[in-house]
Amino acid sequence: MQPAGVARRLLRHAAQPLAAQLPKLLSAGGALAVQRPAAGEGHPVSDEELVRGGTASAPAVEFLEHPDLAEIVGDLSRPQKRLPTRLLYDERGSHLFERICETRDYYVTRAELEILSRDLDDIAGFAGAGAGVIEPGAGCGCKTRELLSALEDPRWYAPLDIDPSVLWRCREAIRQALPHLPLVPVCADFTQPWCHAGLPVAERRLLFFPGSTVGNFEPVQAQRLLGRFRDAAGPGGRLILGVDLRKNAATLRRAYDDGEGITASFNLNLLARLNREHGADFDTAAFEHLAVYDKALHRIEMHLRSRRDQWVRIGGCRFHFAAGETIHTESSHKYLPGGMVALAAAAGWQAQKLWMDPQRRFALMGFEAAPRKQPNTEVKEDNMAATKKSSGGRRYGKGAARTVASAMRRRKRGTLKSGPGGKGGTVRSRKQAIAIGLSEARRKGAKVPPKKAGGGSK
Ligand code: AVI
C-alpha cells in the first residue's frame, strides 16, 4: 500500500518544519490513530529539545513512521468515504481556521470570548488559588492568556501538544505576557494516555479545554477523552470545558459554510494537502464544500462532494467517485448543557458551573473531579444519555438527563417553580432549570454526582 516513492515523500515532508497543526488533533469519526510520540510517552520538554523540533525520546525523524497514508487509503475505501479530520490542519489549514474564527458567520469563537471577558472573575474563582494549569492541544491562544492573568497565584502552565513548534510559539507568547509564570511544555498526543506524573506540585490541577473541540469527537470518544483528562487532573482537579450548544440548523449551516467561502477553502485544502504530501491527483476544482446538519446525531458535518464522475489515485490505489458522492471530513457535535453534564459525569466529572453567552449559543462549563469510585460507563451515540457498557456496567446518568429535560420543558411551559416544594416564583432561567432538574434527579435517586457545598450549576 505504501510504495517507496510515497515513503520518500513522507521523508521530504518530515524534514520540513511541522506546520502549526490543529491545536487539538482529531480524526473524523474513526479511531484516533496518530501516535507521535508513542502512547504514554508524553513528557515535559527542555528548551534544547524545542529548538531542535523534536524530543529526546521522540526525535523529529520519528514523524516518518506516522501512518497517515495507510489510514487515508483505509478511510477512502469505506462505503461512506472519509478522511482524518486532523489532516485539515497543516500550516495553510491552521491559518484558514484562524480566518474562519474571524468570519461573521462563525459565532463560536466570539461567543466564547464574550463569556471569558464577562465572567472571567467567576471563572478564575472557580479555578481557585494555586492551580497548575494544563491545556491539552494548546495553541498560542489569547483565551489562555486571559485566563492565566486572571487566576490567583497560578503555580505553572503546562501546554500540551504533539507538535514541538506549536509548543515553542505558545511558550514565547505566554512568556511575554506572564514572564514569571513557570512553563512546563509537554510534547504528547493528548488523545492517547500521556505521562502527567512528572508535573510540578500545585494546590490542584486545572484542565482548560476551550473552543468546543470536544464536539469534534464522537460522544464515546469524547467520554474517553474526558476520562483521560480526569486521570491527569487527579483528586480535587477541575476542568473548564468549551461546549458549543444546540441551535437551529440554519445558523449552524451558515457557521460551517460561511459567506466569505473561508470554510470551503479550509475543507478543500485537505485535498490539496494530499496532492502535495502523498502524491495524490485530486482535481480540487472537481470537488465542492458541503455543510450538512444531522438532526438525529445533533452534529454538523463537513463533506467534500464530487462534482462529476471521476477516478483519483493515492498511495498506489485508485478510487472511484460517482457524481454527487461525498467524503466526510469533520463532525462537530452540538450539546445541550444537560447532555454534557451526563457525558462528563460518565467520565468522572461533577458539573459545578455553567457560563453562557447572552444568546446561549456557547457554554463554558466548570467540572470538578469526582471521587474515584464511579463506574466507568460508555455513552450512547445519542449524546444525551449515558448507557450500559456491554460488560454489564450499571446505568448512569440517563435518569438525570431525562429529569433535566423535563424541567426544561416545564420552564418553557412556564410551570417550573423555584423554592422548596416548588412554592417559589416561575423559573425563566435555563441554568436554574438545569439545577432544579438535577436536584429532582438526586431526590429520585438517579445517578447524579452529589452537589458540593457552595457549588451547583450557576
Ligand atoms: C476546531 N473545531 C472546534 C472547529 C469546529 O467548530 O468544530 C473546527 C471547524 N471546522 C469548520 N469550522 C470550524
Side-chain angles (χ1 to χ4, degrees), residues 392-438:
R394 292 192 53 187
R395 273 185 189 274
Y396 189 101
K398 196 167 187 173
R402 253 194 244 115
T403 320
V404 170
S406 146
M408 297 297 257
R409 280 194 298 276
R410 281 177 280 147
R411 179 189 74 98
K412 272 200 173 154
R413 287 199 298 267
T415 57
L416 184 65
K417 304 280 185 193
S418 64
K423 294 198 179 84
T426 306
V427 172
R428 305 215 184 279
S429 135
R430 286 170 63 94
K431 291 179 201 172
Q432 213 182 339
I434 292 165
I436 291 172
L438 286 174

Side-chain angles (χ1 to χ4, degrees), residues 159-332:
L160 194 81
D161 206 286
I162 201 166
D163 181 348
S165 71
V166 169
L167 289 175
W168 170 263
R169 281 201 302 276
C170 176
R171 196 188 61 161
E172 289 311 291
I174 298 293
R175 252 193 195 162
Q176 285 212 344
L178 298 152
H180 303 299
L181 180 68
L183 293 170
V184 196
V186 179
C187 187
D189 175 356
F190 71 81
T191 65
Q192 303 297 325
W194 57 280
C195 176
H196 39 77
L199 290 172
V201 178
E203 284 301 309
R204 75 179 60 78
R205 291 181 180 175
L206 170 71
L207 271 285
F208 184 48
F209 199 54
S212 86
T213 301
V214 69
N216 294 124
F217 293 82
E218 297 291 323
V220 169
Q221 294 174 335
Q223 184 195 326
R224 212 169 287 142
L225 183 72
L226 295 185
R228 293 223 167 90
F229 291 177
R230 166 68 186 79
D231 293 341
R238 305 223 162 142
L239 165 69
I240 295 174
L241 182 67
V243 183
D244 195 21
L245 300 176
R246 287 192 197 157
K247 54 188 63 65
N248 68 73
T251 304
L252 287 169
R253 275 195 300 268
R254 250 199 330 276
Y256 289 81
D257 190 6
D258 65 276
E260 295 158 61
I262 315 282
T263 313
S265 306
F266 169 69
N267 201 6
L268 283 159
N269 175 58
L270 177 46
L271 301 184
R273 179 180 186 179
L274 298 189
N275 289 348
R276 272 195 314 273
E277 295 177 12
H278 298 292
D281 63 355
F282 280 99
D283 173 3
T284 53
F287 286 85
E288 63 190 343
H289 166 70
L290 202 65
V292 195
Y293 187 62
D294 185 322
K295 280 196 178 125
L297 297 176
H298 306 289
R299 70 187 197 189
I300 186 102
E301 295 180 355
M302 290 206 315
H303 289 254
L304 289 163
R305 180 164 59 191
S306 175
R307 293 179 190 268
R308 56 173 161 80
D309 192 274
Q310 56 183 317
W311 288 86
V312 175
R313 279 179 190 279
I314 181 167
C317 303
R318 283 176 84 223
F319 293 95
H320 177 251
F321 290 83
E325 189 177 356
T326 71
I327 313 172
H328 181 190
T329 54
E330 184 186 65
S331 295
S332 201

Side-chain angles (χ1 to χ4, degrees), residues 54-218:
T55 70
S57 66
V61 77
E62 190 179 312
F63 295 149
L64 283 179
E65 288 161 20
H66 134 24
D68 275 356
L69 193 62
E71 192 182 352
I72 291 163
V73 165
D75 279 359
L76 290 175
S77 307
R78 291 170 174 260
Q80 167 61 70
K81 293 181 172 68
R82 68 183 194 194
L83 283 168
T85 297
R86 66 173 186 281
L87 297 185
L88 289 164
Y89 298 86
D90 62 352
E91 193 162 3
R92 180 166 153 71
S94 298
H95 173 68
L96 286 166
F97 177 62
E98 279 170 25
R99 286 183 59 199
I100 290 173
C101 295
E102 289 160 10
T103 61
R104 210 193 42 202
D105 294 330
Y106 189 72
Y107 58 85
V108 175
T109 313
R110 265 192 313 280
E112 189 176 40
L113 286 171
E114 222 176 313
I115 301 169
L116 264 178
S117 66
R118 205 190 53 176
D119 293 315
L120 193 58
D121 289 346
D122 199 28
I123 294 170
F126 168 71
V133 180
I134 303 172
E135 187 177 7
C140 304
C142 51
K143 293 173 201 163
T144 318
R145 279 201 299 275
E146 290 244 339
L147 177 70
L148 290 171
S149 339
L151 292 181
E152 188 187 338
D153 187 23
R155 295 292 150 81
W156 41 263
Y157 169 55
L160 194 81
D161 206 286
I162 201 166
D163 181 348
S165 71
V166 169
L167 289 175
W168 170 263
R169 281 201 302 276
C170 176
R171 196 188 61 161
E172 289 311 291
I174 298 293
R175 252 193 195 162
Q176 285 212 344
L178 298 152
H180 303 299
L181 180 68
L183 293 170
V184 196
V186 179
C187 187
D189 175 356
F190 71 81
T191 65
Q192 303 297 325
W194 57 280
C195 176
H196 39 77
L199 290 172
V201 178
E203 284 301 309
R204 75 179 60 78
R205 291 181 180 175
L206 170 71
L207 271 285
F208 184 48
F209 199 54
S212 86
T213 301
V214 69
N216 294 124
F217 293 82
E218 297 291 323

